[in-house]
Each structure stands twice: as C-alpha cells, then as structure tokens.
Amino acid sequence: MDDNSARPPAPTDLPPGLPIDVPLDLPQAPAPRPTAGGRHRPVVLITGASSGIGAATAARLARAGWYPLVSGTDPRRLAETAARTGGHALAEDLAVPGGAQRLAERALAVAGRVDALVASAGVGWRGPFAAMPQDVLDRIVEVDLAAPLRLARLLLPGMLERRRGRIVLLGSMAGQVGVGGEAGYAAAKGGLALFAESLWYELRGTGVGVRIVLPGAVDTPFFARRGTPFHREHPRPVSPERIADDVLRALTGHRDKLFAPSWLAMPARLHGAAPELFRQLAARFG
C-alpha cells in the first residue's frame, strides 16, 4: 500500500501540460523493486509489450529507471521482454471480456501502484470497409480504443489520489487525417485522440497528465499481422526504438501531443486548416 504520510504534500496548482514537479522516481515511495543504487523506481504498465513499440518502450524506460509491468498476448515473448528489462510479465488479451480489468487488477496486485500507463497495444486491418470481417472490426475497437479507455478509468483513481501520474496513449496519423482502406482502424485511433483531448481538460490542475504519441508507419510486425505489408516507398517506416524515445519524452516532458517523426505535424495541420486541399494532395500522392 502507498504510505502517504512519508511524502511531502502533493502540489495542488500544477498547470496543465507541465511536468510533474515532484519527480515520479520518489525515493520514499514504495515500489516493487529497488535499483542497484537502492532507490525505488516508478512503475509503468505497458500494453502490447510482446514485440514492436511496446517491447522497445519497456527496454527504453527500464534504462531510464522505470520498473516495467509488461503485458501482451504472447507469453513466451513477453517473458523474454520481462527478463531483458528486469520487469514483470502480465500476459493478457485485451480483446476478450474483462481483459482490461484483469490486467489493471493484476498490475496493482504485483506493484501496489501504477505511476504511468503506456497504452501501445494495437491491431489493424486493411481493405474495403464493406468487406471487413465483423470479428476483426470488434477486435480493433476493443484493443485500439476500448481497452485504453478502460485501463485509464481503472488506474486514474490511484493517480489522482497521489496527485501524480501519466497516461500515454499510442495513437496514429491514420486517426488524424484518415486513410483509405483503413476506415475501422482510423476511426478507433481518431476516437483515442479525442479521448486524450477531452481527458486533458479534465485533468488540469490534478498533477496527472495525459499524452498522445502519433506515429506514422513503424517498422514492426503490425503490418504482417494485419494481413497486408506496408506498400509505400515514402515515407519509410521508422524504428520502434525511435517511438520509444518519444514515449519517454511524453512521460517526462511538457508536450501533450507528439508526432513521430515530428514532420508529420505539418500534414496534420494542413488537414485541419485546409481539408479540401489535403484531400486533393492525398488523392494525388497518397
């Protein structure tokens, strides 16, 4: 359990979008594992950590001093990630009923607290929406949209009570501008972006921050799993390690929205300011 009597009073007037002024790596706060130097580490729950962005994020945050609770659907690869990062594996399928609640409960049982959530689990599908199988659509909505919302709802009360914490959501450029042949996926990621925006307003002044990282194409097994490979020559996919660096910046920095790579902010702004022009350019070059 968290010993609130052992820590200084929490800030009550933290401006929105600013880093937590009491660091998350509080040496006096209980945590499941000490570092080599004896200091206790903040706890981060990372979904989709069997491979790709989630696994890279677990490795990056472990190097930065975090204790990762890693979740995914492949127990063997998840155990490898946990062993490599010194974390704890929590295999769970977020697409099945009760999956998010079980994961949150198990994380709190293991660590006693979760200081940050990194919701990086995601599935996709490419093809005409009219031909999209119903079970695939249901899984995308559950994993890409519903599960992050459920996990945030379950973990937020503890963060709000401690008046410190971070929720980092992995969105997508598809959810910012739309992509032909990926209507279901884009809709889920677009909903996630609006959730982050709305929650940002709610959390102002609480000491808890919400962030969204918006990657373009990333060199992970995502495309193979969705059934069609990445087919464009430009831009080339970036590495999951690059996205993991952005996740760390989201956890520790000021910005509540990070495009990855950063130049993707330009087409997103163009889409918002001149949607007809954007559609013309996308039809020609997309």
Side-chain angles (χ1 to χ4, degrees):
M1 295 295 293
D2 196 21
D3 183 7
N4 290 317
S5 64
R7 66 166 67 122
T12 58
D13 57 347
L14 187 67
L18 293 181
I20 299 171
D21 52 5
V22 179
L24 280 176
D25 55 340
L26 290 170
Q28 71 270 30
R33 300 290 188 274
T35 65
R39 297 188 67 191
H40 293 292
R41 292 181 286 173
V43 179
V44 56
L45 174 60
I46 305 168
T47 67
S50 299
S51 63
I53 294 173
T57 296
R60 183 67 186 91
L61 296 187
R63 291 196 302 272
W66 292 74
Y67 180 72
L69 304 177
V70 292
S71 181
T73 57
D74 187 317
R76 181 184 60 80
R77 288 188 298 179
L78 201 62
E80 292 172 354
T81 299
R84 189 166 58 250
T85 61
H88 188 92
L90 297 170
E92 193 66 65
D93 188 349
L94 296 176
V96 303
Q101 181 165 345
R102 282 192 300 273
L103 177 57
E105 291 172 351
R106 292 173 65 195
L108 292 172
V110 166
R113 60 187 285 164
V114 173
D115 297 296
L117 166 67
V118 177
S120 65
V123 293
W125 188 83
R126 182 174 179 82
F129 186 70
M132 188 176 192
Q134 183 63 49
D135 63 327
V136 175
L137 176 58
D138 292 345
R139 187 170 183 85
I140 286 176
V141 172
E142 282 296 322
V143 175
D144 295 6
L145 179 59
L149 270 65
R150 292 190 177 109
L151 287 169
R153 185 185 66 82
L154 292 163
L155 297 174
L156 260 176
M159 295 180 187
L160 291 170
E161 182 180 357
R162 295 186 296 272
R163 298 193 65 80
R164 56 181 64 84
R166 284 287 185 266
I167 294 173
V168 179
L169 306 170
L170 265 293
S172 170
M173 275 299 293
Q176 298 290 295
V177 301
V179 177
E182 298 184 43
Y185 175 75
K189 291 298 187 179
L192 196 65
L194 286 178
F195 170 67
E197 183 79 12
S198 301
L199 192 59
W200 183 89
Y201 291 110
E202 288 188 26
L203 295 179
R204 287 180 298 175
T206 66
V208 181
V210 58
R211 307 285 189 257
I212 188 164
V213 178
L214 299 161
V218 185
D219 187 12
T220 71
F222 174 86
F223 295 106
R225 290 175 186 156
R226 76 175 186 180
T228 56
F230 184 74
H231 65 286
R232 301 182 185 184
E233 294 186 4
H234 301 288
R236 299 307 302 164
V238 301
S239 71
E241 287 75 20
R242 180 168 180 176
I243 306 303
D245 287 340
D246 286 323
V247 171
L248 179 59
R249 280 191 283 271
L251 281 170
T252 59
H254 299 255
R255 295 169 58 192
D256 55 88
K257 181 183 290 187
L258 287 82
F259 290 90
S262 59
W263 66 263
L264 288 174
M266 181 177 62
R269 293 192 186 102
L270 178 62
H271 178 269
E276 289 301 324
L277 175 60
F278 179 90
R279 289 187 186 121
Q280 292 173 15
L281 293 172
R284 180 176 179 183
F285 299 107

